[in-house]
Amino acid sequence: MDKTVADLRKDYTLEGLSELEVDLNPFIQFKKWFDQALVAQLPEPNAMTIATATPDGKPSARMVLLKDFDERGFAFFTNYNSHKGQELAENPQGALVFWWAELERQVRISGYVEKVSETESDQYFHSRPANSRLGAWISNQSEVIESREVLERRLQEFKSKYENEEIPRPPHWGGLRVIPTEIEFWQGRPSRLHDRLLYSRLDNDTWKIERLSP
């Protein structure tokens, strides 16, 4: 008999997550888990969902790629004129989710969002392959277009334009950084009794760790 969606389930048994074992600094703990995802050779371990909302509360979410993280926060790059760019300009609050299924782990991050420096945006932009740099000029991200041919035609136009020149970073393209106020580490456990440890930022930039009920 074919399974229904309601029948799909998995019992998580790989590991646990203890307050006695995690680092007191959530950025160090994130790096530990991220490095383990790299060692496990997970497909695109830096893929993350970012959720945004309009000022009147209409939410939206999509996948992006993490490109940098340190104690300042978690950075990705995008077209500032895109839907997410506009929403974050008007309502600079965002939430991230990493899902590493093979490790039975999830990380949830929420906080304020700000642009990275022009220097950081320039450095990352010029590290990209040439066609990716051209793509930042070609795509009016999130806008309606007539056909795929529109993009192909614009690609050829910009290839000709910058054939013998350095491709500059578009003024509407750059980095955004989520500065977390909360980071939750989730480890799947048997019987749906998952381990959830929540780090909350305090006023003095230290972090409080609490266990959440699954």
Side-chain angles (χ1 to χ4, degrees):
M1 180 183 295
D2 292 338
K3 286 188 175 182
T4 67
V5 173
D7 293 326
L8 298 174
R9 58 178 52 86
K10 175 184 177 181
D11 211 21
Y12 299 112
T13 60
L14 287 180
E15 292 191 45
L17 186 62
S18 166
E19 295 91 332
L20 300 177
E21 297 173 350
V22 297
D23 198 280
L24 296 178
N25 184 323
F27 298 105
I28 295 176
Q29 182 63 33
F30 180 85
K31 186 178 188 306
K32 175 182 176 181
W33 272 21
F34 189 80
D35 287 347
Q36 290 172 356
L38 292 176
V39 170
Q41 297 184 324
L42 303 190
E44 296 207 277
N46 59 329
M48 59 186 185
T49 299
I50 179 163
T52 59
T54 60
D56 60 356
K58 181 181 178 181
S60 59
R62 75 291 286 163
M63 302 298 294
V64 297
L65 296 177
L66 177 72
K67 287 300 179 180
D68 188 31
F69 68 91
D70 54 29
E71 297 211 7
R72 296 173 298 170
F74 300 82
F76 65 98
F77 293 83
T78 189
N79 186 318
Y80 292 141
N81 296 329
S82 65
H83 285 172
K84 62 181 170 296
Q86 293 178 36
E87 288 173 0
L88 288 170
E90 297 173 346
N91 179 19
Q93 304 275 341
L96 305 174
V97 180
F98 293 87
W99 170 237
W100 297 315
E102 295 85 347
L103 300 178
E104 300 176 354
R105 288 174 174 172
Q106 174 183 256
V107 181
R108 299 172 62 212
I109 300 164
S110 59
Y112 306 101
V113 181
E114 66 178 18
K115 289 183 178 179
V116 308
S117 69
E118 296 284 320
T119 299
E120 290 173 277
S121 289
D122 285 338
Q123 288 176 342
Y124 176 68
F125 182 80
H126 291 294
S127 74
R128 305 176 86 207
N131 281 347
S132 295
R133 282 177 275 156
L134 290 172
W137 283 99
I138 293 163
S139 173
N140 297 320
Q141 195 174 97
S142 302
E143 291 188 9
V144 175
I145 58 174
E146 293 179 1
S147 66
R148 173 77 191 184
E149 286 69 32
V150 173
L151 297 178
E152 301 291 349
R153 184 171 62 251
R154 284 175 60 81
L155 176 59
Q156 294 308 314
E157 291 172 357
F158 275 85
K159 277 187 174 181
S160 298
K161 179 178 180 178
Y162 291 113
E163 184 175 7
N164 298 310
E165 298 180 29
E166 180 69 25
I167 304 167
R169 177 174 64 87
H172 58 264
W173 190 98
L176 293 167
R177 178 176 287 112
V178 179
I179 303 167
T181 55
E182 292 185 339
I183 303 178
E184 180 194 320
F185 294 87
W186 180 101
Q187 178 71 59
R189 297 299 302 275
S191 304
R192 292 297 187 262
L193 299 178
H194 311 305
D195 287 327
R196 298 175 62 190
L197 296 184
L198 175 66
Y199 291 71
S200 300
R201 190 191 293 267
L202 303 177
D203 290 341
N204 59 358
D205 272 345
T206 59
W207 295 84
K208 174 176 65 175
I209 302 176
E210 297 173 299
R211 176 172 288 269
L212 303 181
S213 180

